[in-house]
Amino acid sequence: MSTTTLERLVRMANQIAAEFVNQQPWDAAAATAEHIRLFWDPRMLAMILAHGAAGGAGLSAVAAAAVGMLRGEPGDAG
């Protein structure tokens, strides 16, 4: 069974969020959002933002909060 691009992006966002596990949740979400904003291709960013708008299935709480930040939404990082 192959992994779809979206599944890979969700996994990548969760892995980035996990790197900031020692920070407070809101700070971890902000750092995750900044990393995605700086390093992800615009197509990747558009896909993860659309996924977040559709509910963000599979995203960790921190990754979901980061995507929400990128979408300009107030939120809770858990």
Side-chain angles (χ1 to χ4, degrees), residues 14-29 31-32 62:
N14 288 339
Q15 288 171 333
I16 294 164
E19 289 296 317
F20 300 108
V21 70
N22 292 324
Q23 295 184 17
Q24 294 295 321
W26 188 255
D27 294 334
T32 301
V62 170

Side-chain angles (χ1 to χ4, degrees), residues 38-62:
L38 289 173
F39 298 108
W40 282 28
D41 177 279
R43 293 168 293 174
M44 295 165 62
L45 180 59
M47 280 186 83
I48 203 72
L49 293 179
H51 182 64
L59 290 170
S60 69
V62 170

